[in-house]
Structures are given as structure tokens and as C-alpha cells.
Amino acid sequence: MAQWRLGLTGGIGSGKSTVASVLQQQGAVLIDADAISRASTQSNGSAIAPIRREFGPDFIDATGALDRQRMREHVFRHPEARQQLETIVHPLVGQEIQRQLEAARPAACVVLDIPLLVESPRWRPQLDRVIVVDCSEATQRARVRQRNAWDDDTIEAVMRTQSPRLQRLAAADLVVHNDGHDLVQLRALVLQLGARFGL
């Protein structure tokens, strides 16, 4: 049987991680680009040595991991630093995603959870369908404020780094609408979605 490769994306606070988790519970193999990216910047991660060379030792914390808060503040003040960081991290993430795809060959359905799927042209040709988890920007802000305790400026800055909502929706083959706060209803929607792909 052919394998489905589904790309999953959505803005911060959209509920994308919840949707990914339910698909995984249904039996999909989940490849989480964010988790791979985080692992690369943990202590002894593959991105640490090049980050230290590019940005200096002040951006590495006492445990040998990326100092995320310092880097976040630096990127907000110096937008060009984001591209420098991505030039280091993205190829490493891409390599690990390819490794995990190879390992997932027997699975009926693989879900690639990629926050920047719409922003990067490299992913679409590798996917059978793109699923976008969508909610209003007001809902995004409210969820992130509650979950991360970030101030509005930080939330807005992160949202500006992501593709606009309409651009995400334009790239979607399927949309999971998640403006409500009912996890039971969301789970039911995702179970229906998974059934379309043999889950």
C-alpha cells in the first residue's frame, strides 16, 4: 500500500500540536520539525558548535545549550540574525527529517509537523496533502498569552515571522477549523480526518 505523506502546519496557538498528537495516537508516524530543531540546539546538539562560531559563546548557556531567551531578544533587535541562525539549523533539521522519513517507510501515513511549511518551497513537492490548522488571530493571541505568559509585543513579533493566515489557507488542501475551545470536538474532527488517510 502506498504511504500518505501529510504536511501539517498552522500559526502559533492554532492547536497544531494537539492535531498532530491525535493523528499520532491514531497510528500516524509523526515527524516534528520543531522537536528536531530544539534537539539540535540542546546541550551537545548538532547546531551548538556552529552557533558558537557564528554568534559567540554568550549565546550558549551553562548547560551547553542555546540560550533561547538571549537569542530571541537578539533576533528581535537584529532581524538579519534570524537568517544566520536558520542557515545553521535548517539544513540539520532537513537531514534529520530525511533520516526519519527513511525509517518510516513501512508506515501507512506519515505526518510532517512543519511550522514554516508554507514559507519554505522545499516541502510541498515531498507531500501528498497539506493540512492547515486554522483559527482567528484573536484566538491565537489569547491562547499564546495564556500558555506562554508572553506580552503582546512578543506574540506580535512571533506572528510576524510566520506567514499570514490567508497565505497559509491558500496553501491548504484541507483545513481543520479550531476557533473553539472544545478539545472533544477537535478530536472528533481529527479522527474523521485520519480515517481519510487509512488511520
Side-chain angles (χ1 to χ4, degrees), residues 23-179:
L23 289 169
Q24 189 176 27
Q25 288 162 20
Q26 283 180 270
V29 172
L30 178 63
I31 299 178
D32 184 339
D34 248 1
I36 294 169
S37 178
R38 280 195 301 276
S40 78
T41 58
Q42 298 290 6
S43 180
N44 298 317
S46 55
I48 292 300
I51 288 171
R52 184 183 280 113
R53 281 196 301 272
E54 184 71 33
F55 293 97
D58 289 350
F59 286 90
I60 309 301
D61 69 18
T63 69
L66 174 67
D67 186 331
R68 293 183 173 282
Q69 185 61 34
R70 183 183 284 260
M71 183 60 80
R72 190 179 294 121
E73 290 167 2
H74 181 68
V75 165
F76 287 158
R77 284 196 306 273
H78 307 282
E80 71 281 359
R82 172 179 297 281
Q83 194 167 6
Q84 292 172 278
L85 183 63
E86 289 174 351
T87 300
I88 294 168
V89 174
H90 284 185
L92 297 170
V93 172
Q95 288 166 22
E96 179 59 19
I97 287 173
Q98 289 305 323
R99 191 194 68 74
Q100 291 189 23
L101 278 170
E102 288 296 320
R105 276 192 184 281
C109 182
V110 178
V111 175
L112 288 92
D113 180 347
I114 304 173
L116 300 178
L117 188 156
V118 174
E119 292 85 339
S120 172
R122 68 179 290 193
W123 297 112
R124 181 72 230 213
Q126 301 182 55
L127 302 168
D128 297 309
R129 298 285 186 279
V130 170
I131 301 166
V132 172
V133 185
D134 181 61
C135 64
S136 71
E137 291 184 356
T139 300
Q140 282 182 266
R141 291 185 190 95
R143 286 181 183 154
V144 176
R145 204 178 292 121
Q146 182 178 15
R147 181 186 71 194
N148 296 30
W150 288 355
D151 61 33
D152 288 346
D153 287 347
T154 303
I155 295 169
E156 291 298 329
V158 171
M159 288 176 69
R160 277 197 302 275
T161 68
Q162 299 182 331
S163 60
R165 183 184 180 197
L166 291 178
Q167 187 181 344
R168 278 195 300 273
L169 289 171
D173 296 309
L174 297 157
V175 179
V176 176
H177 297 284
N178 185 30
D179 245 317

Side-chain angles (χ1 to χ4, degrees), residues 171-190:
D173 296 309
L174 297 157
V175 179
V176 176
H177 297 284
N178 185 30
D179 245 317
H181 296 277
D182 186 345
L183 285 176
V184 174
Q185 188 178 10
L186 177 61
R187 183 178 175 80
L189 279 174
V190 180

